[in-house]
Amino acid sequence: MDISQFIQRNATCWEIAAKGNMRVPAIIYADEQLLQDMDQKVYEQITNVASLPGIVEAAYAMPDAHWGYGFPIGGVAAFDPEQGGVVSAGGVGFDISCGVRTLHTGLNMIELQPHKQALADELYRKVPVGVGSKGRIHLNHDSMHGMLKGGAQWALDQGFGEPEDLERIEEHGCMAGAEPKYVSPKARERQKDEMGTLGSGNHYLEVQQVAEIYDETVAAVFGLKINDVVISIHCGSRGLGHQIGTEFLKDMAMSAAHYQIALPDRELACAPLASPLGKQYLGAMRAAINCALANRQIITHLTRQAVAKVFPDIHLGLLYDVSHNTCKLEHHTVNSQKKALYVHRKGATRAFGPDHPDLPPVFKDTGQPVLIGGSMGTSSYVLCGTLEGELRSFSSACHGAGRAMSRSQATKQWQGRTLVDELAARGIIIRSPSMRGVAEEAPAAYKDVSVVVDSADRAGLARKVARLEPVICIKG
Amino acid sequence: MNSKTIAPYWEHFEHGADIGIRGIALTLEQAFEQTAVAMTAVITDPDQVLATKAVSIHCEAPDHEMLLLDWINELVYQMAVQGLLFKRYQVAIHEGKLSATAFGEAVDRQKHQPAVEIKGATFTELHVYQQPDGAWIAQCIVDV
C-alpha cells in the first residue's frame, strides 16, 4: 500500500481524511512496515465503510487488517441509531462470534511433558474436528430454541460446564436480544448436529505453554506464570452462523435501494438499525452469538473430559472467552456525549479497559483479557484492554495474524506430512484429519503475529501480557 | 484460438484469506457447472469423488450473478446437511430459474482428506458475463 495516501498522526496511527462519499475519516493502526505490506484493498474497503450512513468518529482498521468482504478483516465501525445508523451483515461476517477461549490447567510443562502424546490422543478422540464432523448432541426444536436464547448459560443448564465459567465470558455467556424466530429453518438444519464441533480452516484447539511474560502484575491477576500450560479453543457459530450470514447478506444487498442506501460494494450490504430487516438481522445475529458461546462451552466440557483421562485431579478454569466477529450495542463517549452505539468488529477483539462496568470484578484493575490466536505452530498472545483504547478504537484490538499467502500457494509450497514432522521435531504435536488442510494452514502462510501484536501494543489498543507457544494442536 | 473449440473448464484464483472459484464454458449452464466443480476442488480432489448419489437443486434470482450466488450457496447447504461431496453437475437455466442435479457421495475423511469447509459464497469478485469470444465466465470468492 502506498503510504503517501495517509496523514501520519504518530508512529502507529495513519489517517485518511474524509473525502468524496466518506462521512468520517478512516484510521489504520499499524507500524509503517505493516501498513506498506497491507493490500490496497484495505484502503478501498475502509474508506467505503466510512461512507455508510450513521457512522460516527471514524472507520478503523486494526494492525492485522487484510482484504475482507465489504469490511476489511480487522475493521471496526460504530453506528448511531439516532443518525440513521445501519447494521451490516458483511460487517460481522459469515462466522458470527468466532472467537477464542483460553483455559487454565494448573499444570506446568514439566508435569505435562511425559503425557503429551496421551493428551493429544485423548483431545483428538474427544473433540470433533474437520469437515463433516458431527457432535454427540442432536438439537430438536425446543433445545435449538433454548440454545439460541441462552448461549453458554443454556449449555451449562444441560450439564456442560461450571457456573464459575459464565462470568469469564463476554455477555456473561448469554447475548441478550436474541430472536430465534428470525433464524431460518435452513440455518437450524445446518446446526442441529454440529454443536460441540471445532470446524475446519483456521479453527483449532491448542495446548500451549506460557513462554514469556511482559507484565507480571497483570499476568498474576490473569493467573499466568512462565511455563504454565493453558488450552485455547478457536471456533465460532458453525453452520448456523454461516447460513445466517449468507441469507442476510443477500437480503440486505437486495433491499439497499429500498432503504435508499447507495452501496459502494454489494458486500457492504446493510440495513437501517431501525428498519424491520435491521432488527431481524440483529435478532438472528445475536442468536448466532449464543450458538458460538454454547459451542465453545460444550467444547470446553469435552476438553475437560479428555484432560481428566490423563490428569484426573486437575481443574480447568476459564481465563476468558472473546468473540471477534460481532455487532454489539455499547456505550461510548463521542464529542463528550455518552452514546448508545452499534459497534461492528469484523476480525477485531473487544478490549474493554480497567473499570469497565461489563467486566467481572477480578479484571477491574487490569482491563479485559484480549486473546489473540496465532496460526498453527506460531505464538499466541494474551493482552489486556486499556483506557486509551476507548478513545482510539471504541475499545477494540487486533484478532490474529492474517494470511500472508493464499491457500493454493501454500499447498504448492508445503506438504502436510512434512510440516507435521517438522513441527514434531520442534516439540509440537499436530493432530488433524486432513494433511492438505495442514498444508493450507502452514505457519509461514501467515503474517508474523508478533509484529501485529507489537503494533497493537504500541498503538495503545491493548497491552501485551504474555506470549503462548503451542505444544499440541488439534486442527480442523 | 477459436472459442468453438473451448472445452468447459474451471480454475481457482487468488484472494488473500480465501479462494476464488471460476467456471469457463460456451454456455451459461456449463459455466455454472464448472464453477461448482471448482468449489468441490476447494475441499477435495473432484477426481476422488464418486457420483453415486443425486440431489436436485432449484433456485431463482433476479440476475445471473445472484443466481450463481444462490446456486453455490445451495450446494454448500446440501453438502453440509447431507454430509456429501459432489463430483459433477447438470444445470439448466431458463428465465432466471435454475434446475440442477448434483452427483456425489458421502464424505469419507480417509479417502477425500477434505481440507476445509466452505462457509458461503460471497459478492466479492462475483461476476457472470460472456466474453467477446463467446465464452461464459461465472466466478466468485468463497469464504472458508
Side-chain angles (χ1 to χ4, degrees):
Chain A
M1 179 130 68
D2 174 10
I3 63 169
S4 69
Q5 309 166 97
F6 294 86
I7 306 157
Q8 185 172 8
R9 294 296 180 200
N10 59 45
T12 51
C13 178
W14 308 78
E15 182 175 329
I16 306 159
K19 62 183 179 200
N21 295 326
M22 291 168 69
R23 295 165 195 260
V24 293
I27 290 173
I28 299 182
Y29 293 105
D31 65 35
E32 189 169 331
Q33 191 61 50
L34 272 177
L35 186 72
Q36 277 180 351
D37 293 345
M38 272 181 204
D39 197 310
Q40 179 66 22
K41 290 275 183 190
V42 174
Y43 181 98
E44 283 171 33
Q45 292 191 324
I46 202 67
T47 53
N48 283 342
V49 172
S51 76
L52 291 176
I55 187 168
V56 296
E57 290 282 281
Y60 299 100
M62 303 292 105
D64 51 340
H66 52 282
W67 182 19
Y69 305 106
F71 273 58
I73 295 162
V76 175
F79 296 85
D80 184 352
E82 291 176 359
Q83 294 180 55
V86 293
V87 59
S88 167
V92 173
F94 284 91
D95 198 358
I96 297 167
S97 200
C98 181
V100 181
R101 169 181 292 208
T102 298
L103 309 167
H104 296 293
T105 66
L107 296 169
N108 62 37
M109 273 308 287
I110 294 165
E111 292 162 315
L112 173 66
Q113 205 64 40
H115 305 284
K116 258 170 68 177
Q117 292 287 349
L119 183 59
D121 291 341
E122 284 299 335
L123 287 167
Y124 188 51
R125 196 172 300 139
K126 198 76 193 169
V127 180
V129 62
V131 178
S133 59
K134 304 280 183 209
R136 291 169 187 85
I137 299 154
H138 307 285
L139 297 180
N140 61 25
H141 181 271
D142 288 349
S143 52
M144 177 71 75
H145 183 89
M147 182 276 285
L148 295 172
K149 269 300 230 194
Q153 286 189 8
W154 169 85
L156 193 72
D157 294 342
Q158 309 305 306
F160 303 114
E162 300 155 8
E164 307 78 69
D165 295 343
L166 295 180
E167 72 162 3
R168 288 173 179 251
I169 305 172
E170 288 183 15
E171 319 303 333
H172 299 271
C174 176
M175 185 74 219
E179 297 273 13
K181 65 183 173 194
Y182 298 128
V183 175
S184 71
K186 277 187 160 178
R188 291 159 187 263
E189 185 65 28
R190 227 169 133 172
Q191 191 60 32
K192 68 176 192 197
D193 295 324
E194 287 200 348
M195 294 309 296
T197 63
L198 265 181
S200 64
N202 63 359
H203 295 155
Y204 59 76
L205 182 150
E206 214 167 67
V207 179
Q208 302 158 325
Q209 63 170 313
V210 179
E212 212 169 342
I213 299 273
Y214 307 101
D215 185 325
E216 293 285 353
T217 311
V218 177
V221 175
F222 286 3
L224 298 172
K225 297 191 305 293
I226 203 91
N227 289 328
D228 274 358
V229 174
V230 298
I231 299 180
S232 292
I233 297 161
H234 176 215
C235 64
S237 50
R238 310 291 295 111
L240 182 125
H242 308 164
Q243 192 67 28
I244 290 172
T246 297
E247 290 169 6
F248 278 94
L249 194 66
K250 185 184 168 196
D251 288 350
M252 287 180 173
M254 294 187 55
S255 55
H258 169 73
Y259 291 121
Q260 296 180 318
I261 298 170
L263 291 179
D265 172 354
R266 275 182 296 186
E267 203 86 39
L268 272 178
C270 56
L273 284 155
S275 68
L277 182 56
K279 287 179 178 164
Q280 287 164 20
Y281 176 68
L282 283 172
M285 185 263 305
R286 288 165 175 163
I289 291 178
N290 281 332
C291 179
L293 299 180
N295 197 37
R296 290 198 287 274
Q297 187 66 29
I298 294 168
I299 293 173
T300 299
H301 178 75
L302 299 175
T303 303
R304 284 171 170 154
Q305 287 183 327
V307 173
K309 290 243 180 187
V310 185
F311 298 98
D313 300 323
I314 67 166
H315 171 254
L316 303 186
L318 261 69
L319 167 53
Y320 206 60
D321 179 303
V322 300
S323 294
H324 46 228
N325 288 347
T326 58
C327 172
K328 290 187 175 177
L329 178 60
E330 295 172 7
H331 293 86
H332 294 280
T333 305
V334 180
N335 296 329
S336 320
Q337 258 194 310
K338 206 78 167 162
K339 295 284 247 177
L341 302 173
Y342 286 82
V343 183
H344 293 64
R345 295 187 180 91
K346 171 70 195 91
T349 313
R350 195 191 76 177
F352 284 156
D355 292 322
H356 195 284
D358 288 357
L359 293 179
V362 61
F363 302 132
K364 185 178 181 300
D365 295 332
T366 59
Q368 180 203 309
V370 177
L371 309 173
I372 308 298
S375 53
M376 182 180 63
T378 66
S379 296
S380 294
Y381 284 85
V382 179
L383 291 81
C384 60
T386 62
L387 288 172
E388 59 264 44
E390 162 68 19
L391 307 171
R392 307 244 158 94
S393 57
F394 297 115
S395 296
S396 311
C398 54
H399 86 306
R403 287 192 82 92
M405 187 185 289
S406 71
R407 290 178 179 276
S408 43
Q409 277 176 303
T411 44
K412 278 176 201 145
Q413 201 153 334
W414 294 286
Q415 283 192 320
R417 176 51 56 193
T418 318
L419 276 173
V420 169
D421 292 344
E422 281 171 13
L423 290 165
R426 286 172 44 203
I428 304 168
I429 301 173
I430 307 293
R431 290 280 188 276
S432 173
S434 171
M435 283 304 114
R436 177 173 152 189
V438 168
E440 292 188 4
E441 292 291 322
Y446 281 82
K447 288 181 211 156
D448 184 350
V449 68
S450 304
V451 177
V452 166
V453 165
D454 282 344
S455 251
D457 181 297
R458 285 173 65 202
L461 308 178
R463 295 274 175 233
K464 276 162 59 173
V465 177
R467 183 172 65 82
L468 312 175
E469 276 182 1
V471 182
I472 299 167
C473 183
I474 311 294
K475 191 81 196 160
Chain B
M1 182 170 61
N2 182 345
S3 66
K4 295 281 183 285
T5 64
I6 295 176
Y9 69 101
W10 61 268
E11 62 191 17
H12 289 154
F13 60 98
E14 303 285 313
H15 177 275
D18 295 303
I19 195 157
I21 56 173
R22 179 183 288 142
I24 302 111
L26 279 175
T27 68
L28 179 64
E29 288 83 354
Q30 286 180 335
F32 272 48
E33 291 168 4
Q34 291 299 314
T35 313
V37 181
M39 180 207 61
T40 298
V42 170
I43 309 164
T44 191
D45 177 359
D47 291 341
Q48 297 298 315
V49 182
L50 298 176
T52 55
K53 192 170 183 332
V55 177
S56 290
I57 287 167
H58 300 276
C59 17
E60 190 173 346
D63 60 55
H64 287 155
E65 293 184 349
M66 282 291 189
L67 195 61
L68 179 69
L69 207 69
D70 281 359
W71 161 236
I72 299 298
N73 280 329
E74 190 59 29
L75 292 171
V76 168
Y77 174 75
Q78 294 295 342
M79 286 192 303
V81 299
Q82 301 208 45
L84 296 172
L85 290 167
F86 295 122
K87 179 184 186 66
R88 62 185 175 85
Y89 310 85
Q90 267 174 6
V91 172
I93 298 172
H94 184 62
E95 292 181 347
K97 289 184 182 153
L98 178 148
S99 300
T101 310
F103 301 89
E105 68 170 325
V107 181
D108 176 335
R109 299 194 331 158
Q110 279 299 318
K111 180 175 127 182
H112 299 124
Q113 289 280 303
V116 74
E117 272 171 328
I118 296 178
K119 293 172 187 163
T122 77
F123 286 101
T124 303
E125 301 288 310
L126 170 65
H127 300 295
V128 178
Y129 61 95
Q130 196 170 17
Q131 294 188 140
D133 68 358
W136 281 91
I137 310 288
Q139 66 168 54
C140 69
I141 305 277
V142 288
D143 191 1
V144 296

